[in-house]
Amino acid sequence: MTLTRREREILALLRRDPLAGAQAIADALGTTRAAVNVHLSNLGKKGAILGRGYILRQERAVVVIGGANVDIKVRSLAPVAYRTSNPGHSHTSPGGVGRNVAENLARLGTPTHLIAAVGRDAAGERLLSETRAAGVRIDHVHRGPHPTGTYTAVLDADGDLVVAIADMAATDALGPEHLHTARELIGHAGLLVLDGNLAPGVLSYVLDIASATGVQTLIDPVSVPKAALLAPLFATGRPVFAVTPNVAELGALTGRAPDGAAGADDPELLRAVAVLHERGVRHVWVRLGARGSLLSTLDEGRVLLDAPPAEVHDVTGAGDAMLGAFAHALLGGADPADAARYGHAAAALTVATSATVRPDLTPRLIEDALNAPPRRTT
């Protein structure tokens, strides 16, 4: 199939907004609606699109299933004093691990569907509106009786997380019955990303679909308590493509106690990684904070990846950017180690801003960061 330059430009716009009308496309390209209609007709005849509202025929979308909530970030203006009031400022934005990963993917140009649960309230309406505007498909988001979830994070003056409180009742109530209409979508995904905030029953249901259809699955454990609930789901009969824990979450997943301070050479950490490989996980990507990460691949060895330098303004959303960029690079054909480096670069770019999802995130921005010369130190 050979496409003209204009047809490729139209496809690029449709990746960002599959429901875009001919007039919106014409305005974006500086041409006429009649000309766009001719190009759309030709794209349909060539099999490049299936019609208005559909992703490209030859591209497989990422399906992200997980939490969607409102982020409330409160940052102290001085070192935090406990058990008393602290001067600071607050900011509210769309959030949720799954939702954030989906937005990062969409901003990078990957066709992305989000499956999540929000309330039938004004907060849910705003959350969906802003997520859709970022390019994420939200057709399968469930509107339930529980209020839209909130994640309240308290940051110190340096932007590091002090404590966070998550009200995830809407996500907790999401059950397998709410995903029945999305079975075909899940079974045909190019990649499936699962957020550990999901109930074990939902995760088990989705992993069964992925296992039966051969869909590669990435799982973010999210937290130590959530990782402990996830642990029984890993079995050799139900393979998982990649799991992305930090050291503490790795311990909760395996029942072992790796020493986070010891780094990637800690024997207990390596034994914990081996446990996940034995349970059917092909890639174990352990996040080591400022020291980077360890990517271990079944039967292929380990790679230690350095974290790129970053000026930290706000750490919220860094892991979500890392996972979203990792998935984007994998779907684009990158090998896992290069995809992990791509994820590190996206995380470094994100923590340098106050945004949970960096609004100007693009593949070019990440590639420029990866190719930038190392900073000179004095």
Side-chain angles (χ1 to χ4, degrees), residues 61-283:
V62 175
V63 176
V64 182
I65 310 178
N69 50 255
V70 176
D71 275 355
I72 305 168
K73 293 190 287 187
V74 185
R75 182 167 178 169
S76 175
L77 295 177
V80 173
Y82 293 91
R83 297 183 175 86
T84 188
S85 176
N86 288 263
H89 55 79
S90 63
H91 176 71
T92 301
S93 64
V97 172
R99 197 218 67 86
N100 292 345
V101 171
E103 182 177 339
N104 277 289
L105 278 159
R107 292 197 178 280
L108 290 172
T110 295
T112 305
H113 294 260
L114 174 67
I115 301 175
V118 300
R120 302 189 189 101
D121 49 22
E125 202 64 48
R126 178 185 173 189
L127 189 65
L128 293 182
S129 176
E130 295 188 21
T131 302
R132 183 192 299 110
V136 180
R137 299 293 301 275
I138 59 170
D139 310 65
H140 293 281
V141 172
H142 174 65
R143 305 295 297 272
H146 298 279
T148 297
T150 57
Y151 172 83
T152 304
V154 178
L155 309 175
D156 64 18
D158 295 325
D160 291 323
L161 181 67
V162 176
V163 68
I165 304 296
D167 177 358
M168 302 292 290
T171 299
D172 292 342
L174 186 71
E177 66 277 12
H178 302 128
L179 275 65
H180 288 336
T181 59
R183 283 184 62 94
E184 185 173 351
L185 176 68
I186 296 168
H188 288 85
L191 282 173
L192 179 64
V193 179
L194 302 179
D195 160 359
N197 283 307
L198 298 166
V202 173
L203 288 166
S204 182
Y205 175 80
V206 174
L207 286 171
D208 283 341
I209 297 173
S211 179
T213 56
V215 173
Q216 293 183 330
T217 304
L218 284 62
I219 301 179
D220 182 353
V222 175
S223 69
V224 171
K226 300 291 185 180
L229 294 175
L230 280 175
L233 297 175
F234 293 96
T236 54
R238 199 161 48 183
V240 171
F241 182 74
V243 176
T244 62
N246 61 27
V247 175
E249 292 161 358
L250 176 65
L253 286 171
T254 61
R256 308 194 76 92
D259 181 1
D265 292 330
D266 173 32
E268 190 67 7
L269 183 148
L270 299 179
R271 282 192 286 268
V273 168
V275 167
L276 288 182
H277 285 320
E278 291 167 1
R279 295 178 182 174
V281 180
R282 178 160 180 77
H283 302 284

